[in-house]
């Protein structure tokens, strides 16, 4: 019997649809309900993107039983010794199990952009800005503790919460700003790593080759996560240790004056001649993508958000760990600043030093020694570039997945995130390879790009941790709110000064000035919207606008 008309087309269409569905399932994480065919309505929340799947999380309950780090064993049995509601006493072993996310977060305080800010501050201002570096790091710690608090208390990261908190147009604008911040930071980080590769290869490998190597080895490092979160954290611990040893070696080689160093840390001093370096030191502290990153990283430990004592315990250990991590990053930044203060403060080279030529200047100033200081600098810079590139890609995955609710395998998200940054970075490397001054100009523009994005991470963070509907009993109190808004206002004002100073020297002519004015108006309006949204004042303004058009 002949088949009915269209039956063959219908069969082929069904087969094509089945193949498309199979391809889509291949891109989903293995634990996704879509893969296993779980249609239970109670598991609808599993359809949302998550920072970590349940099987990936590190169990942090103390027990003499199964392997805690691998996730083996019965969770209830492991946690039963903690008591019904009281937080258990402090444990060094448990602190060790919580150690990791804070050190990954601290990488953003040590990226090549920060190192360049350190060396330029040291060369231009000597040791006089060390006190500002210390207080800027303290402000950064406060912001990062808020990000950790948000992630631990809610079980969701900042990008996911922004997706639910803001209307569609604002959510998309925030996502775009966050992606721009990731790409801008990634260009600096990859270029820094490529400069280090060029130094260590004695110029044999050009900048663009270093960019390609950095892009590829980033995937190799991220693949370690397949063997467990703790393996990836161990890699970062090694890279931070490499930075600490390299820059401490430089510090001891240059023999800085201990008295000047102590005075620089304890005695605030600021002059009109060093105001730009001071603004740069503070402006480099808050990396917008790092706020999103830390709120996601803290979810790598298995915590029951319904048990208040577990959340409080996690917050205590994460606070200790983050403080230790940023204390180490402060020491590394101090080493770099002090070395360049010792070598170049008051010299004619002070205004010309950047990442590209810093190693050569160090070599000419301090000589070879047992191990040439040029290569010590190159090793430290390579560790900074590699580690910050990996965390940047990691942050990009969380930002994209959280804002867009993409349920994709991590390697797919990593490939997309890497592609956003690597193409413009290769173009930059080919264009700027032969020019130190051009790289410095590029770095200034990238710093401006980062400064523009800061309100779009800070304001949503403070807004969310202040809301009882989001945080429950872990909402920050009025005093903490006042302190955090003061710090945020200070950081935004300082970066605003940096932007005005930069654009006043770069923008010329009535047309470009007019375009800048329009852009500033739109920018300021969006920032004001984020600050006032949900307040009584904003509701009155909206009501007045509606009445005027009705």
């Amino acid at each position: 019997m002949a088949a009915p008309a269209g039956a063959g087309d219908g069969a082929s269409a069904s087969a094509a649809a089945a193949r498309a569905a199979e391809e889509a399932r291949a891109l989903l994480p293995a634990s996704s309900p879509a893969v296993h065919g779980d249609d239970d309505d109670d598991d609808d929340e599993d359809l949302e993107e998550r920072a970590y799947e349940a099987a990936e999380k590190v169990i942090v309950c103390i027990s003499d039983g199964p392997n805690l780090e691998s996730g083996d064993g019965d969770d209830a049995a492991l946690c039963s010794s903690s008591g019904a509601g009281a937080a258990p006493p402090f444990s060094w072993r448990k602190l060790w199990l919580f150690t990791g996310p804070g050190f990954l977060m601290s990488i953003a305080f040590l990226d090549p952009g920060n190192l360049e800010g350190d060396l330029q501050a040291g060369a231009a201002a000597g040791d006089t800005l060390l006190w500002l570096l210390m207080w800027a790091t303290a402000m950064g710690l406060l912001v990062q503790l808020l990000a950790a608090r948000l992630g631990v208390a809610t079980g969701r990261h900042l990008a996911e919460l922004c997706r639910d908190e803001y209307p569609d147009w604002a959510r998309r604008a925030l996502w775009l700003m966050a992606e721009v911040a990731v790409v801008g930071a990634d260009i600096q980080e990859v270029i820094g790593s490529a400069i280090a590769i060029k130094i260590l290869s004695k110029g044999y490998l050009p900048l663009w080759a270093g960019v390609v190597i950095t892009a590829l080895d980033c995937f190799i490092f991220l693949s370690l996560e397949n063997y467990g979160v703790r393996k990836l954290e161990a890699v970062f611990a090694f890279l931070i240790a490499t930075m600490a040893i390299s820059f401490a070696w430089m510090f001891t080689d240059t023999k800085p004056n201990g008295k000047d160093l102590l005075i620089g840390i304890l005695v605030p001093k600021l002059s009109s001649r060093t105001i730009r370096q001071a603004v740069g030191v503070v402006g480099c502290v808050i990396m917008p993508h790092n706020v999103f990153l830390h709120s996601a990283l803290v979810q790598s430990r298995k915590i029951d958000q319904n048990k208040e004592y577990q959340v409080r315990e996690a917050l205590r250990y994460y606070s200790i760990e983050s403080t230790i991590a940023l204390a180490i990053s402060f020491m590394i930044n101090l080493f770099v600043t002090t070395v360049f203060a010792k070598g170049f403060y008051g010299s004619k080279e002070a205004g010309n030093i950047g990442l590209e030529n810093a190693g050569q200047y160090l070599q000419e100033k301090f000589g070879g020694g047992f191990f040439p200081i040029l290569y010590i600098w190159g090793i430290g810079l390579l560790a900074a570039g590699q580690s910050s590139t990996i965390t940047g890609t990691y942050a990009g995955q969380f930002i994209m997945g959280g804002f867009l609710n993409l349920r994709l395998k991590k390697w797919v998200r990593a490939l997309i995130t890497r592609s956003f940054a690597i193409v413009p970075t290769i173009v930059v490397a080919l264009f700027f390879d032969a020019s130190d001054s051009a790289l410095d100009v590029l770095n200034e523009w990238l710093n401006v790009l980062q400064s523009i994005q800061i309100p779009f991470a800070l304001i949503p963070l403070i807004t969310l941790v202040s809301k009882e509907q989001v945080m429950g009993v872990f909402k920050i109190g009025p005093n903490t709110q006042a302190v955090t808004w003061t710090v945020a206002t200070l950081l935004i004002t300082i970066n605003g000064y940096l932007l005005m100073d930069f654009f006043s020297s770069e923008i010329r002519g009535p047309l470009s000035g007019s375009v800048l004015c329009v852009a500033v108006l739109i920018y300021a309006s969006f920032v004001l919207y984020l600050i006032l949204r949900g307040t009584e004042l904003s509701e009155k303004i909206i009501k007045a606008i509606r009445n005027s058009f009705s």
Side-chain angles (χ1 to χ4, degrees):
M1 179 184 290
D9 293 341
S12 61
S14 298
R19 284 196 301 272
E22 185 63 32
E23 291 172 1
R25 281 195 295 272
L27 295 176
L28 287 168
S31 58
S32 171
V35 175
H36 298 294
D38 185 0
D39 297 325
D40 191 347
D41 292 339
D42 293 337
D43 293 333
D44 284 346
E45 63 181 15
D46 289 339
L47 295 174
E48 291 189 357
E49 190 275 340
R50 288 180 174 179
Y52 295 91
E53 300 298 331
E56 297 174 318
K57 295 186 177 183
V58 177
I59 297 174
V60 292
C61 295
I62 296 297
S63 171
D64 295 328
N67 186 334
L68 301 180
E69 297 184 16
S70 65
D72 297 335
D74 182 72
D75 294 356
L78 289 175
C79 296
S80 61
S81 61
S82 297
F90 177 82
S91 165
W92 288 103
R93 183 182 173 195
K94 186 167 283 191
L95 176 61
W96 170 249
L97 292 175
F98 274 102
T99 297
F103 282 88
L104 267 69
M105 168 273 294
S106 72
I107 294 294
F109 291 72
L110 299 168
D111 73 348
N114 273 284
L115 296 183
E116 184 161 34
D118 293 338
L119 66 89
Q120 290 174 344
D127 294 323
T128 61
L129 295 180
L130 292 178
W131 66 274
L132 190 60
L133 175 63
M134 181 180 70
W135 284 106
T137 305
M139 287 192 290
L141 175 62
L142 173 62
V143 172
Q144 295 303 150
L145 289 179
L146 290 181
R149 187 182 190 89
L150 182 72
V152 172
T154 64
R156 307 176 73 199
H157 58 81
L158 180 58
E160 292 175 311
L161 291 166
C162 285
R163 185 182 73 227
D164 294 340
E165 176 70 16
Y166 295 100
D168 188 62
W169 69 270
R171 173 176 60 83
R172 292 183 183 279
L174 288 172
W175 169 64
L176 179 61
M177 294 297 183
E179 290 290 357
V180 169
V182 170
V183 172
D186 210 20
I187 291 175
Q188 285 183 307
E189 294 156 0
V190 173
I191 290 292
S193 190
I195 289 172
I197 292 172
K198 185 177 180 180
I199 290 172
L200 295 174
S201 67
K202 298 183 178 180
Y204 180 75
L205 292 175
L207 210 59
W208 67 265
V211 168
V212 173
I213 292 170
T214 303
L216 294 176
D217 65 23
C218 178
F219 287 108
I220 296 173
F221 286 126
L222 283 172
S223 67
L224 291 173
E225 192 184 10
N226 295 324
Y227 300 96
V229 173
R230 300 289 276 175
K231 304 295 189 300
L232 185 62
E233 290 172 351
V235 171
F236 281 101
F238 171 76
L239 292 172
I240 292 173
T242 301
M243 278 186 273
I245 293 170
S246 299
F247 297 135
W249 191 330
M250 289 170 50
F251 180 80
T252 55
D253 265 5
T254 55
K255 299 179 176 64
N257 187 302
K259 182 181 176 182
D260 290 344
L261 191 151
L262 198 60
I263 291 173
I265 294 174
L266 299 178
V267 180
K269 189 185 298 183
L270 192 62
S271 68
S272 57
R273 190 168 48 85
T274 60
I275 189 69
R276 187 162 188 174
Q277 284 74 29
V279 169
V281 167
V282 178
C284 287
V285 165
I286 303 299
M287 302 291 283
H289 71 276
N290 204 40
V291 178
F292 290 95
L293 176 66
H294 199 201
S295 66
L297 290 174
V298 294
Q299 295 173 48
S300 60
R301 272 55 178 174
K302 186 164 287 191
I303 299 162
D304 187 351
Q305 275 74 30
N306 295 317
K307 295 179 179 177
E308 184 179 332
Y309 75 91
Q310 285 195 19
V311 176
R312 292 195 184 279
E313 182 185 42
L315 290 175
R316 176 173 63 169
Y317 286 114
Y318 278 136
S319 297
I320 296 170
E321 183 235 7
S322 297
T323 302
I324 294 171
L326 288 192
I328 292 172
S329 76
F330 167 70
M331 291 303 300
I332 293 173
N333 284 314
L334 181 145
F335 290 154
V336 175
T337 303
T338 306
V339 165
F340 284 87
K342 171 71 174 179
F344 305 102
Y345 178 52
S347 68
K348 62 181 180 180
E349 298 96 344
N352 302 318
I353 297 179
L355 280 183
E356 176 77 8
N357 56 24
Q360 198 57 48
Y361 277 128
L362 285 170
Q363 186 71 10
E364 293 172 2
K365 183 72 177 182
F366 298 108
F370 171 73
F371 193 75
I373 197 169
L374 170 66
Y375 299 119
I376 299 172
W377 166 253
I379 291 170
L381 181 59
L382 181 63
Q386 292 286 350
S387 57
S388 56
T389 300
I390 301 168
T391 54
T393 304
Y394 220 21
Q397 294 179 45
F398 293 132
I399 289 169
M400 179 179 290
F403 274 111
L404 304 183
N405 195 24
L406 293 179
R407 293 280 297 174
L408 297 175
K409 284 186 176 180
K410 290 187 177 181
W411 70 266
V412 178
R413 279 188 286 166
L415 182 62
I416 295 171
T417 305
R418 198 95 286 269
S419 301
F420 278 158
I422 204 63
V423 174
T425 306
I426 290 177
V427 172
V428 164
L430 289 171
F431 184 75
F432 292 108
D433 195 16
S435 174
D436 295 351
S437 59
L439 275 174
D440 290 338
V441 170
L442 171 69
N443 193 57
E444 284 188 15
W445 276 97
L446 291 173
N447 285 336
V448 166
L449 191 65
Q450 293 294 321
S451 298
I452 290 172
Q453 313 306 323
I454 284 177
F456 307 122
L458 274 184
I459 295 172
L461 172 66
I462 300 174
T463 300
L464 289 166
V465 295
S466 303
K467 294 185 70 170
E468 189 173 356
Q469 303 96 307
V470 175
M471 300 292 292
V473 296
F474 297 101
K475 177 191 80 167
I476 60 174
N479 292 336
T480 307
Q481 287 185 41
V483 172
T484 52
W485 278 114
T486 301
V487 169
T489 302
L490 180 62
L491 290 169
I492 292 171
T493 302
I494 288 173
N495 281 279
Y497 172 87
L498 178 64
L499 293 174
M500 294 304 296
D501 179 64
F502 178 81
F503 283 119
S504 63
S505 61
E506 295 291 331
I507 303 297
R508 295 179 179 85
L511 179 60
S512 57
S514 301
V515 171
L516 178 62
C517 287
V518 173
V520 168
L521 183 61
I522 296 171
Y523 177 84
S525 300
F526 189 36
V527 170
L528 197 61
Y529 164 79
L530 294 175
I531 294 173
L532 297 179
R533 184 180 180 274
T535 64
E536 292 183 7
L537 177 60
S538 66
E539 291 173 0
K540 289 179 181 178
I541 294 173
I542 293 171
K543 187 176 180 180
I545 293 173
R546 286 175 178 170
N547 290 337
S548 65
F549 285 100
S550 60

